[in-house]
Amino acid sequence: MTDLSIRANRVAALKAAAKERILILDGSWGVMFQKKGLTEADYRAERFADYDGQMRGNNDILCLTRPDLVAELHDAYFSAGADISETNTFSGTTIAQADYRLGQQEVWDINFEGAKIGRSVADRWNVENPARPKFIAGSIGPLNVMLSMSSDVNDPGARKVTFDQVYQAYREQVDALYQGGVDLFLIETITDTLNCKAAIKAILDLRDEGHEELPIWISGTITDRSGRTLSGQTAEAFWNSIKHAKPFAVGFNCALGADLMRPHIAEMARIADTLVAAYPNAGLPNAMGQYDEEPHETGHALHEWAKDGLVNILGGCCGTTPDHIRHVADEVRGVTPRQIPERPKAMRLAGLEPFELA
């Protein structure tokens, strides 16, 4: 039996599993924490008892103040059939956490402890059922600032951050997640491809400096019916921008429900010579900001994607719960995963390449 206490063995098991079946990711974390009715005291605990602002709503801090709830949610999603669960570190950078005036050490601790919590839960599952291993993905979310777009409508060159600052923030997050024991990195909900490139560079640089090579999963976000990311790229342009990272998986999540996301996933399935992953919202939010799509509806929609050979990994984003993930897992069980196409060599451009006029 493979020793799943060794990370290299887990990575090999993940890649082997992806060839055999459609893998299942977990669902929303935010909606589940909201259902708990947490108070300011839950977010502060003893460590932040004297904090002079509002901490409530900073779900990442629960890795430090309510690790029991974080572990409970990993368990809930694994019980629902998820093969992969994300760390509770979606906003775990010094740039994003600056909204709460948290410093470098607190942010490091969020990522390190978040990874350790997930690792502990997955390890327990793997001891109990080594034939169906569970994996932990280090969640690397978007920032509240963009490198590709101006922060001032009157100044196209204005930026609130530099590439080096974004790179450094992601580098610290990646290192902490790695030290905490994640099996792969998930750069997700990407609205700005240049931010994503900074995260990719952080991962690759740390690999060059001694980190064990871990799979990279890159998930962009098509923000509306325009079919483009917020920084203006189509699905194909996005893929051409990040394919140099040789990702383990690529795809889309958030912003759209399954019906509106499908054409973009179909396009990615056509062009990407790697695994394709998708985790849509539970439909679109209603007038009150709530998600009404029932678990069986999500499961049925994603079954159609699987049946048509579009995907290798499926899960849920905003509004999805363990029940949604259970229905998705049940609906795609036994369905053959998408076959990775061999694409001919060709010049493939993202539309952002520099060029010189003759």
Side-chain angles (χ1 to χ4, degrees), residues 275-301:
L275 304 181
V276 166
Y279 45 118
N281 292 347
L284 294 179
N286 60 29
M288 302 300 294
Q290 303 298 313
Y291 292 87
D292 298 324
E293 186 171 279
E294 295 292 332
H296 71 275
E297 295 174 305
T298 302
H300 176 72

Short mmCIF file of all heavy atoms in Angstrom, two decimals, residues 275-301:
data_model
loop_
_atom_site.label_atom_id
_atom_site.label_comp_id
_atom_site.label_asym_id
_atom_site.label_seq_id
_atom_site.Cartn_x
_atom_site.Cartn_y
_atom_site.Cartn_z
N LEU A 275 -5.75 18.92 -17.81
CA LEU A 275 -7.06 18.67 -17.22
C LEU A 275 -7.88 19.96 -17.21
O LEU A 275 -7.34 21.05 -17.04
CB LEU A 275 -6.91 18.17 -15.79
CG LEU A 275 -6.06 16.92 -15.55
CD1 LEU A 275 -6.06 16.56 -14.07
CD2 LEU A 275 -6.56 15.75 -16.37
N VAL A 276 -9.19 19.82 -17.39
CA VAL A 276 -10.10 20.97 -17.31
C VAL A 276 -10.97 20.82 -16.08
O VAL A 276 -11.55 19.75 -15.82
CB VAL A 276 -10.96 21.08 -18.58
CG1 VAL A 276 -12.13 22.05 -18.37
CG2 VAL A 276 -10.10 21.57 -19.74
N ALA A 277 -11.05 21.90 -15.31
CA ALA A 277 -11.78 21.90 -14.04
C ALA A 277 -12.78 23.03 -14.01
O ALA A 277 -12.55 24.10 -14.59
CB ALA A 277 -10.80 22.05 -12.87
N ALA A 278 -13.89 22.81 -13.35
CA ALA A 278 -14.91 23.85 -13.25
C ALA A 278 -15.67 23.72 -11.94
O ALA A 278 -15.99 22.61 -11.51
CB ALA A 278 -15.90 23.73 -14.41
N TYR A 279 -15.91 24.87 -11.32
CA TYR A 279 -16.79 24.87 -10.15
C TYR A 279 -17.62 26.15 -10.16
O TYR A 279 -17.22 27.17 -9.67
CB TYR A 279 -16.04 24.65 -8.84
CG TYR A 279 -14.75 25.40 -8.58
CD1 TYR A 279 -14.66 26.28 -7.50
CD2 TYR A 279 -13.61 25.18 -9.34
CE1 TYR A 279 -13.47 26.93 -7.21
CE2 TYR A 279 -12.42 25.84 -9.06
CZ TYR A 279 -12.36 26.72 -7.99
OH TYR A 279 -11.18 27.37 -7.69
N PRO A 280 -18.80 26.04 -10.77
CA PRO A 280 -19.70 27.19 -10.90
C PRO A 280 -20.44 27.49 -9.60
O PRO A 280 -20.47 26.69 -8.67
CB PRO A 280 -20.68 26.72 -11.98
CG PRO A 280 -20.73 25.23 -11.81
CD PRO A 280 -19.34 24.83 -11.41
N ASN A 281 -21.04 28.67 -9.59
CA ASN A 281 -21.92 29.03 -8.48
C ASN A 281 -23.21 28.21 -8.56
O ASN A 281 -23.53 27.61 -9.59
CB ASN A 281 -22.28 30.51 -8.54
CG ASN A 281 -21.10 31.41 -8.26
OD1 ASN A 281 -20.06 30.96 -7.80
ND2 ASN A 281 -21.26 32.69 -8.56
N ALA A 282 -23.98 28.25 -7.49
CA ALA A 282 -25.31 27.61 -7.48
C ALA A 282 -26.29 28.55 -8.18
O ALA A 282 -27.18 29.14 -7.55
CB ALA A 282 -25.74 27.32 -6.05
N GLY A 283 -26.09 28.73 -9.48
CA GLY A 283 -26.90 29.67 -10.24
C GLY A 283 -26.45 31.10 -9.98
O GLY A 283 -25.35 31.35 -9.48
N LEU A 284 -27.31 32.05 -10.32
CA LEU A 284 -27.04 33.45 -10.05
C LEU A 284 -27.78 33.89 -8.79
O LEU A 284 -28.85 33.34 -8.48
CB LEU A 284 -27.47 34.31 -11.24
CG LEU A 284 -26.68 34.09 -12.53
CD1 LEU A 284 -27.24 34.98 -13.64
CD2 LEU A 284 -25.20 34.34 -12.34
N PRO A 285 -27.25 34.85 -8.05
CA PRO A 285 -27.93 35.27 -6.81
C PRO A 285 -29.25 35.95 -7.10
O PRO A 285 -29.42 36.60 -8.14
CB PRO A 285 -26.92 36.23 -6.17
CG PRO A 285 -26.07 36.71 -7.31
CD PRO A 285 -25.99 35.57 -8.26
N ASN A 286 -30.19 35.81 -6.16
CA ASN A 286 -31.48 36.48 -6.30
C ASN A 286 -31.36 37.93 -5.82
O ASN A 286 -30.26 38.41 -5.52
CB ASN A 286 -32.57 35.72 -5.53
CG ASN A 286 -32.27 35.61 -4.04
OD1 ASN A 286 -31.59 36.46 -3.44
ND2 ASN A 286 -32.76 34.55 -3.41
N ALA A 287 -32.48 38.62 -5.75
CA ALA A 287 -32.47 40.04 -5.39
C ALA A 287 -31.91 40.28 -3.99
O ALA A 287 -31.44 41.38 -3.67
CB ALA A 287 -33.88 40.61 -5.49
N MET A 288 -31.95 39.25 -3.14
CA MET A 288 -31.44 39.37 -1.78
C MET A 288 -29.99 38.86 -1.66
O MET A 288 -29.46 38.78 -0.56
CB MET A 288 -32.34 38.59 -0.82
CG MET A 288 -33.79 39.04 -0.83
SD MET A 288 -33.97 40.79 -0.36
CE MET A 288 -33.46 40.72 1.34
N GLY A 289 -29.40 38.51 -2.80
CA GLY A 289 -28.03 38.02 -2.78
C GLY A 289 -27.89 36.57 -2.39
O GLY A 289 -26.78 36.09 -2.14
N GLN A 290 -29.01 35.85 -2.34
CA GLN A 290 -29.00 34.44 -1.97
C GLN A 290 -29.02 33.56 -3.22
O GLN A 290 -29.48 33.98 -4.28
CB GLN A 290 -30.21 34.12 -1.08
CG GLN A 290 -30.30 34.97 0.17
CD GLN A 290 -29.13 34.78 1.10
OE1 GLN A 290 -28.73 33.65 1.39
NE2 GLN A 290 -28.55 35.88 1.57
N TYR A 291 -28.56 32.32 -3.07
CA TYR A 291 -28.51 31.38 -4.19
C TYR A 291 -29.63 30.35 -4.03
O TYR A 291 -29.71 29.67 -3.01
CB TYR A 291 -27.15 30.71 -4.26
CG TYR A 291 -26.05 31.68 -4.64
CD1 TYR A 291 -25.39 32.44 -3.67
CD2 TYR A 291 -25.68 31.85 -5.96
CE1 TYR A 291 -24.40 33.34 -4.01
CE2 TYR A 291 -24.69 32.76 -6.33
CZ TYR A 291 -24.05 33.50 -5.35
OH TYR A 291 -23.07 34.40 -5.69
N ASP A 292 -30.46 30.25 -5.06
CA ASP A 292 -31.66 29.42 -4.97
C ASP A 292 -31.51 28.05 -5.63
O ASP A 292 -32.39 27.20 -5.47
CB ASP A 292 -32.85 30.14 -5.62
CG ASP A 292 -33.19 31.45 -4.92
OD1 ASP A 292 -33.05 31.51 -3.68
OD2 ASP A 292 -33.57 32.42 -5.62
N GLU A 293 -30.45 27.82 -6.38
CA GLU A 293 -30.33 26.56 -7.11
C GLU A 293 -30.19 25.39 -6.14
O GLU A 293 -29.32 25.38 -5.26
CB GLU A 293 -29.13 26.61 -8.05
CG GLU A 293 -29.00 25.40 -8.96
CD GLU A 293 -27.93 25.60 -10.01
OE1 GLU A 293 -28.23 26.28 -11.03
OE2 GLU A 293 -26.80 25.12 -9.82
N GLU A 294 -31.05 24.41 -6.30
CA GLU A 294 -31.06 23.26 -5.41
C GLU A 294 -29.92 22.29 -5.75
O GLU A 294 -29.45 22.25 -6.90
CB GLU A 294 -32.39 22.52 -5.52
CG GLU A 294 -33.59 23.34 -5.04
CD GLU A 294 -33.57 23.57 -3.55
OE1 GLU A 294 -32.98 22.72 -2.83
OE2 GLU A 294 -34.12 24.59 -3.10
N PRO A 295 -29.48 21.50 -4.78
CA PRO A 295 -28.38 20.57 -5.03
C PRO A 295 -28.60 19.64 -6.22
O PRO A 295 -27.68 19.41 -7.01
CB PRO A 295 -28.30 19.78 -3.71
CG PRO A 295 -28.75 20.76 -2.68
CD PRO A 295 -29.85 21.54 -3.34
N HIS A 296 -29.83 19.13 -6.37
CA HIS A 296 -30.07 18.21 -7.49
C HIS A 296 -29.99 18.91 -8.83
O HIS A 296 -29.62 18.31 -9.85
CB HIS A 296 -31.43 17.51 -7.34
CG HIS A 296 -32.61 18.40 -7.56
ND1 HIS A 296 -33.15 19.19 -6.57
CD2 HIS A 296 -33.35 18.65 -8.68
CE1 HIS A 296 -34.18 19.87 -7.06
NE2 HIS A 296 -34.32 19.57 -8.34
N GLU A 297 -30.29 20.22 -8.85
CA GLU A 297 -30.18 20.98 -10.09
C GLU A 297 -28.73 21.16 -10.50
O GLU A 297 -28.36 21.01 -11.68
CB GLU A 297 -30.86 22.34 -9.94
CG GLU A 297 -32.36 22.25 -9.72
CD GLU A 297 -32.99 23.61 -9.43
OE1 GLU A 297 -32.54 24.30 -8.49
OE2 GLU A 297 -33.92 23.98 -10.18
N THR A 298 -27.90 21.49 -9.53
CA THR A 298 -26.46 21.62 -9.81
C THR A 298 -25.90 20.28 -10.26
O THR A 298 -25.15 20.20 -11.24
CB THR A 298 -25.71 22.10 -8.55
OG1 THR A 298 -26.25 23.35 -8.11
CG2 THR A 298 -24.22 22.24 -8.83
N GLY A 299 -26.25 19.22 -9.55
CA GLY A 299 -25.76 17.90 -9.89
C GLY A 299 -26.14 17.49 -11.31
O GLY A 299 -25.33 16.95 -12.06
N HIS A 300 -27.39 17.77 -11.70
CA HIS A 300 -27.85 17.40 -13.04
C HIS A 300 -27.10 18.18 -14.11
O HIS A 300 -26.67 17.61 -15.13
CB HIS A 300 -29.36 17.66 -13.18
CG HIS A 300 -29.88 17.40 -14.55
ND1 HIS A 300 -30.02 16.14 -15.08
CD2 HIS A 300 -30.25 18.28 -15.55
CE1 HIS A 300 -30.47 16.22 -16.31
NE2 HIS A 300 -30.63 17.50 -16.63
N ALA A 301 -26.92 19.48 -13.90
CA ALA A 301 -26.22 20.31 -14.89
C ALA A 301 -24.79 19.83 -15.09
O ALA A 301 -24.31 19.73 -16.23
CB ALA A 301 -26.25 21.77 -14.45
#
